[in-house]
Amino acid sequence: MTVNDDSFTNWKIREEIAESMIPLIGKLHRERDVTVLLHSRSLVNKSVVSILKTHRFARQIAGAELSVTETMPFLEALTTLDLGPSQIDLGMLVTTYMADERGLSVAEFTAEAVAGATGANKIERREPRDVVLYGFGRIGRLVARLLIEKAGSGNGLMLRAIVVRGGGAEDIVKRASLLRRDSIHGQFQGTITVDEANSTIVANGNAIKVIYADDPSAVDYTEYGIRDAILIDNTGKWRDREGLSKHLRPGIEKVVLTAPGKGDVPNIVHGVNHDTVKPDEQILSCASCTTNAIVPPLKAMDDEYGVLRGHVETVHSFTNDQNLLDNYHKSERRGRSAPLNMVITETGAASAVAKALPDLKAPISGSSIRVPVPDVSIAILNLQLARETTREEVHDYLREVSLTSPLKRQIDFTTAPDAVSSDFIGSRHASIVDAGALKVDGDNAILYLWYDNEFGYSCQVVRVVQHVSGVEYPTYPTTAV
């Protein structure tokens, strides 16, 4: 048998195993509200090839490719346990099992590693929490996709309505079409139908009421059967407490803003300061996409090395706020054609760091350049550290942070030598450390951080909403078993 025959036979074997994983992953998700992950990447509703690619990607961050032959026994062990709602990372299970020297069987080790999600320890499944989207633009539609995707178990968050201004004839049909197809993020994964008579979009069985209103005060959400909902404001029209309080109408309990909040509105970066949200807080902000990209790695670097000062330069994709062609704009440069120019502009991300990381005393400055790409940006974080280090040490530290730390859902890591911006479209992390571009010289470190400023940020928004709604489930195994 030739090497080619061996490779193909091996592929077919792994393909068969991955195919047999799909119903096990799906059943855990639907019946027990368990999300199966592989190094923080969900395997729910993934194809055979996608599961195999996710296993192969592990070689970039862990140094060696994971095989489905290694993870399948752990998945099978999970199906025998009395699991409650949780997230379980097969990559972490395999890694910690290999490091364990007690000689336990896979079944014994798995039962111990996820004990916090089983039996008397497990969380009880909750009734779905209503969610309303106010605005249905770039972020609104991506958040909608995520909420619909996560509603598969019938628990957690349930998108009940979107609120928009009336757009004339066939308005709801056009909005459904924008949800169905996206030039950057591709086709919606599922089916979408429109019930014009009842002003409803049905996506993967989720009935989403389309409410037309020009002002928040015009809506009584209880008229639509909505109770104790979390409203996500995607418009950015109101950013202070007084303006956002207009959303606190009958049926709405909390308001989450997808833009930097002003005044005393808490700016929350999930993974860094989401635990500081008070239970009775009704209004909060998810800060900006750039703030979410830089704060987690900034915290990681400060925790390990100390940060004395820093500067962030963002090379940012253009947005709807800019003009396609030269035209009037209230900002000096944003009126110039976005797809034809690099445009120097301001960023509030540096000043927003203080709200998310109040213990960080280092001054952080920032500036931004908008460039002619439609999605994915890069933040160049230049830091003066409190102690000298080496490139190898920082490289290994950040890789470990992406694998095992509490920030592993926020920080990803790539060693791909030919990585470019479009490779990170659809990334669910707040930022991705580009290992090849990392520079360290004594007490100076320069981090290059890719981030999908649309989809990655939307994932952070949903994580915040899950947290404040009480449906953010714990992840197992923990770093120590």
Side-chain angles (χ1 to χ4, degrees):
M1 183 176 287
T2 66
V3 173
N4 183 63
D5 289 336
D6 283 340
S7 298
F8 187 68
T9 299
N10 181 262
W11 169 263
K12 299 302 288 184
I13 292 171
R14 289 186 291 130
E15 195 175 43
E16 183 179 356
I17 295 172
E19 188 172 354
S20 65
M21 295 175 85
I22 291 174
L24 302 183
I25 293 168
K27 189 173 183 180
L28 284 169
H29 185 61
R30 288 190 308 274
E31 296 184 1
R32 306 188 194 180
D33 214 1
V34 172
T35 300
V36 178
L37 310 172
L38 190 78
H39 287 311
S40 300
R41 288 165 168 78
S42 174
L43 297 181
V44 176
N45 291 330
K46 295 297 186 291
S47 67
V48 168
V49 171
S50 180
I51 289 173
L52 292 174
K53 285 180 68 175
T54 304
H55 278 74
R56 181 162 174 74
F57 181 80
R59 77 190 192 284
Q60 286 198 35
I61 49 179
E65 181 177 346
L66 267 179
S67 172
V68 287
T69 59
E70 295 174 297
T71 56
M72 183 61 168
F74 292 89
L75 179 60
E76 290 174 327
L78 290 174
T79 64
T80 68
L81 300 174
D82 180 25
L83 289 167
S86 56
Q87 299 186 104
I88 299 177
D89 196 315
L90 291 180
M92 285 296 295
L93 271 174
V94 173
T95 301
T96 52
Y97 179 70
M98 289 179 174
D100 191 83
E101 299 179 348
R102 293 174 294 167
L104 299 178
S105 68
V106 167
E108 291 170 336
F109 182 85
T110 302
E112 179 182 330
V114 303
T118 61
N121 297 322
K122 68 182 181 182
I123 299 170
E124 292 302 318
R125 301 181 77 180
R126 300 178 174 90
E127 289 298 313
R129 183 70 176 271
D130 290 352
V131 178
V132 173
L133 292 177
Y134 197 96
F136 206 50
R138 297 298 302 155
I139 300 302
R141 292 193 296 273
L142 292 177
V143 169
R145 285 188 175 200
L146 287 164
L147 292 173
I148 294 163
E149 170 193 298
K150 293 178 182 299
S153 64
N155 296 275
L157 304 175
M158 184 67 68
L159 177 57
R160 296 292 308 280
I162 61 173
V163 184
V164 293
R165 291 178 293 182
E170 296 189 328
D171 179 274
I172 190 172
V173 174
K174 293 174 181 177
R175 294 186 189 277
S177 181
L178 285 168
L179 179 62
R180 184 182 292 114
R181 288 179 288 272
D182 189 282
S183 300
I184 296 169
H185 301 284
Q187 298 276 347
F188 174 80
Q189 297 301 303
T191 63
I192 293 175
T193 57
V194 176
D195 181 352
E196 287 190 82
N198 293 302
S199 191
T200 300
I201 296 172
V202 181
N204 290 359
N206 294 263
I208 306 162
K209 189 74 174 179
V210 179
I211 302 170
Y212 293 100
D214 294 325
D215 189 278
S217 61
V219 187
D220 181 342
Y221 294 94
T222 59
E223 293 179 359
Y224 304 96
I226 296 170
R227 300 284 189 278
D228 301 323
I230 296 176
L231 182 144
I232 305 173
D233 184 327
N234 307 288
T235 68
K237 184 176 181 180
W238 304 278
R239 293 172 57 186
D240 60 12
R241 187 173 295 277
E242 180 182 0
L244 292 168
S245 294
K246 296 178 181 180
H247 290 303
L248 294 172
R249 302 285 297 154
I252 303 299
E253 184 181 359
K254 295 179 184 291
V255 179
V256 174
L257 172 66
T258 63
K262 294 183 178 180
D264 67 342
V265 174
N267 280 252
I268 304 302
V269 174
H270 190 275
V272 175
N273 68 334
H274 65 278
D275 289 336
T276 65
V277 179
K278 298 176 182 177
D280 60 350
E281 178 61 74
Q282 288 188 288
I283 295 173
L284 53 94
S285 156
C286 291
S288 71
C289 56
T290 301
T291 302
N292 276 265
I294 65 172
V295 165
L298 184 56
K299 174 177 171 33
M301 292 297 289
D302 187 52
D303 286 347
E304 180 66 19
Y305 302 102
V307 173
L308 301 182
R309 64 176 58 251
H311 176 80
V312 59
E313 187 78 33
T314 68
V315 182
H316 199 290
S317 59
F318 63 79
T319 68
N320 270 333
D321 175 65
Q322 296 171 255
N323 291 334
L324 285 174
L325 296 172
D326 290 1
N327 210 340
Y328 173 80
H329 195 290
K330 63 182 180 180
S331 297
E332 284 85 356
R333 303 186 201 239
R334 292 195 191 189
R336 303 299 298 277
S337 172
L340 297 178
N341 294 289
M342 294 188 291
V343 179
I344 297 174
T345 187
E346 70 282 346
T347 176
S351 58
V353 167
K355 281 194 170 185
L357 279 176
D359 293 337
L360 179 70
K361 304 306 179 185
I364 307 292
S365 58
S367 52
S368 180
I369 302 173
R370 297 285 178 92
V371 294
V373 295
D375 187 32
V376 179
S377 305
I378 190 167
I380 305 167
L381 191 57
N382 194 330
L383 304 175
Q384 181 186 354
L385 306 177
R387 68 175 175 89
E388 292 192 353
T389 182
T390 64
R391 185 185 184 282
E392 292 72 21
E393 183 186 348
V394 175
H395 176 283
D396 292 346
Y397 169 66
L398 290 174
R399 182 175 65 183
E400 191 63 26
V401 165
S402 74
L403 282 171
T404 63
S405 82
L407 292 170
K408 63 185 178 182
R409 296 174 72 193
Q410 283 69 44
I411 300 176
D412 203 2
F413 190 89
T414 182
T415 59
D418 57 350
V420 293
S421 61
S422 61
D423 296 330
F424 304 102
I425 293 174
S427 169
R428 295 180 180 235
H429 288 77
S431 61
I432 306 100
V433 176
D434 191 313
L438 174 66
K439 293 176 172 57
V440 179
D441 182 10
D443 64 352
N444 177 243
I446 305 175
L447 278 57
Y448 287 74
L449 307 165
W450 298 102
Y451 58 109
D452 185 330
N453 47 278
E454 292 187 337
F455 196 74
Y457 175 67
S458 296
C459 290
Q460 283 286 89
V461 171
V462 171
R463 289 172 188 136
V464 170
V465 174
Q466 287 177 314
H467 176 73
V468 299
S469 66
V471 296
E472 183 180 37
Y473 300 135
T475 301
Y476 296 95
T478 57
T479 53
V481 179

